[in-house]
Amino acid sequence: MSSTQTSLASSDAAPPTKPLRAIPGSYGFPFFSPIRDRLQYYYSQGRDNFFKTRVDQYKSTVFRTNMPPGPFMAKDPRVVCLLDAQSFQVLFDISKVEKRDLFTGTYMPPTALTGGYRVCAYLDPSEPKHAMNKKLLFSLLHDRQPHFLPEFHDTFSKLFDGLDAAVAGEAKKADFNALNDVSSFEFCCRAYFGVDPASTSLGADGPKKVSKWLLFNLHPLMVLGLPKIVEEIFLHTFHLPPFLVKSDYKKIYDFFYSAAAKTLDRAESIGLDREEACHNLLFATCFNSYGGFKVFFPDIFQWLARAGESLHKRLREEIRSVVKAEGGDGSITITALEKMELAKSVVYEALRIEPPVMFQYGRAKKDFVLESHDASFEVKEGEMLFGFQPFATKDPKVFKDPETFVADRFVGDEGAKLLRYVYWSNGRETDVPAEGNKQCPGKDFVVMVGRLLVAEFFMRYDSFEAEVGTVLLGAQITITKLSRATS
């Protein structure tokens, strides 16, 4: 660990000691400047270059700018942008920032998309229902934990069968993303509620209906490749009318109301309205879990494909030797997963280099001073703070070769010290989710399932090859070669 990393790790509680500097940047003219910035962000500069250009211009990783979507969906697009690992951490400090209605950013989707309720993701920890809903999610994760591994094995074995069939077929290739959409949704429903959605009235269309609903929530942040004027009007200026997805959402809701009956009984026992709790469970399952796995699992395979045979060999040797030592029947256990140091590191590195959640927001509760690596900045009560996570988790003052996927970056004691700078879960990887904070209640579940995906794959295959492209929110993986396990 470098001296810079050591100083960061020990300075969180220290008073500001860096030179005080006015926050650079400007919001420009109301209405017109936010639209200009939106066009630069989506089209003329592109997302990453939008931020890099301003870092170079202001010679600072902290600056003022407007964030999309702007008019007319966002009442106030003005933010203080935080792009380094040091300043970013203030977004986790609920004594300084409020998280009310900021889950998706400067805009909030219509509550008609969530049954008329503000679900837990949009609640601040100061609101009583935040703790109640989070308590319900914690209890669900705890009660269903014994089912996670066997349900994953059964569900993703079918995905692997699909890969085998497609690669052996006429096309000689397999669309991992399409198969993953089906398997991830099935896994989430079976793992949390013990129900296969395809065997219910929801049928096999569940993933498509949920993906359509996700689009209605997230379209202000998307570029679909349509003509610019069409995207500006229909995606970035006005909300898509919720009634267009109402019937799909009702079918999803009806499925959850039945499948989650036992969990809804518990919700009522702790004082939550049954209907409201159902909308919260639907959101946590479909948006947080399934929506996350739609992005996260292809990203893992992106980096595995790019790394090639040398990493595959190391992974399969580690995974198989650990599983053999743990009993030898080929079953993967929690204890075995914990001993797979390289596999764990691969998952952490995938979360670091391309976090499935890119944005974090918080509104200042009071005046305070925040620090970047180089300076201190005064923040005023009411100002919106925005962190672009891929820059913070690829901070060159924390991580060596930050743009490079380093599979064993988090192996060993020195690697473990870097985990506090992995921020994907709305908190540090070393933090613990609690009812009183905004960290993802399923943080450990997501990491475990990521490891499980890697372990299950390399128990079955020696190696693979894939074409890597891009889709709306992540990587498109097309498997072109699979080498079944030989030992």
Side-chain angles (χ1 to χ4, degrees):
M1 191 171 178
S2 71
S3 59
T4 302
Q5 293 162 6
T6 303
S7 67
L8 283 175
S10 61
S11 65
D12 284 357
T17 58
K18 301 180 178 70
L20 190 64
R21 180 184 177 187
I23 300 174
S26 170
Y27 301 123
F29 297 103
F31 186 80
F32 296 103
S33 294
I35 292 177
R36 175 206 63 198
D37 290 346
R38 182 173 76 202
L39 293 172
Q40 290 179 343
Y41 179 91
Y42 286 125
Y43 305 108
S44 62
Q45 292 181 337
R47 185 193 67 197
D48 287 11
N49 200 42
F50 177 88
F51 297 118
K52 290 176 182 177
T53 298
R54 285 155 178 77
V55 169
D56 293 340
Q57 178 183 354
Y58 302 128
K59 302 295 187 292
S60 175
T61 53
V62 177
F63 54 83
R64 299 184 186 279
T65 190
N66 298 295
M67 275 299 293
F72 291 96
M73 278 189 281
K75 293 180 180 179
D76 188 354
R78 300 173 299 172
V79 302
V80 176
C81 192
L82 314 176
L83 297 182
D84 62 88
Q86 183 78 1
S87 64
F88 192 94
Q89 296 180 63
V90 75
L91 293 165
F92 311 141
D93 188 345
I94 60 172
S95 71
K96 294 180 179 178
V97 299
E98 182 185 72
K99 295 282 190 171
R100 187 187 304 262
D101 298 337
L102 301 180
F103 179 66
T104 45
T106 58
Y107 81 99
M108 180 179 172
T111 56
L113 292 170
T114 49
Y117 296 97
R118 292 170 58 241
V119 293
C120 187
Y122 292 97
L123 300 178
D124 184 74
S126 64
E127 299 178 77
K129 285 187 178 179
H130 177 273
M132 295 169 71
N133 277 292
K134 211 164 180 183
K135 180 179 181 180
L136 181 65
L137 294 175
F138 283 138
S139 68
L140 175 64
L141 289 165
H142 177 269
D143 291 348
R144 294 295 299 175
Q145 190 274 334
H147 302 277
F148 293 160
L149 271 64
E151 294 290 11
F152 188 92
H153 175 79
D154 290 347
T155 304
F156 276 78
S157 290
K158 291 188 289 186
L159 179 147
F160 298 149
D161 289 342
L163 294 179
D164 288 337
V167 172
E170 184 177 348
K172 303 298 182 185
K173 59 184 180 181
D175 183 339
F176 175 84
N177 295 60
L179 293 168
N180 179 60
D181 281 359
V182 174
S183 295
S184 291
F185 185 67
E186 179 183 337
F187 167 67
C188 289
C189 296
R190 290 175 56 172
Y192 293 157
F193 309 113
V195 178
D196 180 356
S199 66
T200 71
S201 60
L202 186 61
D205 291 333
K208 292 181 180 178
K209 295 182 186 300
V210 172
S211 294
K212 181 179 177 182
W213 172 75
L214 289 172
L215 172 65
F216 274 64
N217 280 272
L218 295 172
H219 70 83
L221 306 178
M222 294 179 173
V223 173
L224 301 181
L226 302 173
K228 187 186 303 184
I229 186 64
V230 174
E231 291 193 334
E232 280 300 288
I233 293 173
F234 293 102
L235 298 184
H236 303 150
T237 303
F238 304 103
H239 288 290
L240 293 174
F243 77 84
L244 294 176
V245 76
K246 183 177 181 180
S247 63
D248 290 321
Y249 185 79
K250 179 64 164 56
K251 291 177 182 177
I252 301 167
Y253 174 85
D254 288 344
F255 163 74
F256 277 91
Y257 198 82
S258 173
K262 291 182 180 179
T263 308
L264 295 177
D265 290 343
R266 173 168 292 183
E268 288 186 311
S269 73
I270 62 175
L272 282 170
D273 174 80
R274 192 177 188 90
E275 181 177 327
E276 183 176 1
C278 188
H279 288 290
N280 272 277
L281 290 173
L282 186 160
F283 192 92
T285 305
C286 295
F287 195 114
N288 300 126
S289 296
Y290 170 65
F293 294 152
K294 277 173 65 74
V295 177
F296 180 38
F297 290 170
D299 277 346
I300 291 177
F301 271 79
Q302 169 187 195
W303 300 111
L304 289 174
R306 295 183 189 279
E309 166 64 22
S310 60
L311 176 59
H312 301 173
K313 182 175 185 293
R314 294 170 62 199
L315 282 168
R316 68 180 183 251
E317 288 177 350
E318 175 190 73
I319 291 164
R320 294 172 195 176
S321 65
V322 169
V323 170
K324 183 177 180 180
E326 286 297 308
D329 64 351
S331 299
I332 299 170
T333 64
I334 292 291
T335 303
L337 285 175
E338 286 299 318
K339 295 180 179 179
M340 298 173 187
E341 292 296 325
L342 180 59
K344 286 197 292 185
S345 181
V346 162
V347 171
Y348 286 136
E349 180 71 342
L351 289 166
R352 178 200 72 84
I353 199 168
E354 200 148 3
V357 178
M358 292 185 290
F359 311 131
Q360 296 290 351
Y361 285 85
R363 190 175 297 279
K365 289 182 174 180
K366 57 185 178 182
D367 295 354
F368 64 88
V369 176
L370 69 80
E371 288 189 326
S372 69
H373 296 305
D374 308 312
S376 300
F377 304 90
E378 290 183 337
V379 173
K380 299 298 183 183
E381 180 181 354
E383 288 194 292
M384 180 79 84
L385 304 177
F386 159 72
F388 184 56
Q389 199 152 256
F391 275 38
T393 55
K394 289 185 281 191
D395 188 332
K397 293 190 177 181
V398 173
F399 295 103
K400 183 180 179 181
D401 298 324
E403 301 288 340
T404 302
F405 182 85
V406 180
D408 55 2
R409 188 185 296 275
F410 298 101
V411 171
D413 292 341
E414 292 303 304
K417 294 176 183 177
L418 292 173
L419 285 175
R420 72 187 316 272
Y421 301 106
V422 178
Y423 299 148
W424 71 272
S425 62
N426 200 3
R428 304 171 187 86
E429 189 59 34
T430 51
D431 292 342
V432 179
E435 294 174 18
N437 65 29
K438 286 299 292 182
Q439 189 164 30
C440 173
K443 173 181 80 83
D444 295 335
F445 170 73
V446 170
V447 173
M448 180 202 72
V449 172
R451 297 175 190 169
L452 196 54
L453 177 66
V454 176
E456 290 278 5
F457 184 84
F458 284 105
M459 285 297 292
R460 178 162 174 152
Y461 302 102
D462 280 348
S463 187
F464 76 103
E465 295 178 6
E467 298 169 356
V468 179
T470 57
V471 287
L472 289 179
L473 297 174
Q476 169 63 47
I477 306 299
T478 303
I479 305 290
T480 57
K481 182 180 178 180
L482 288 165
S483 300
R484 290 298 295 261
T486 54
S487 62

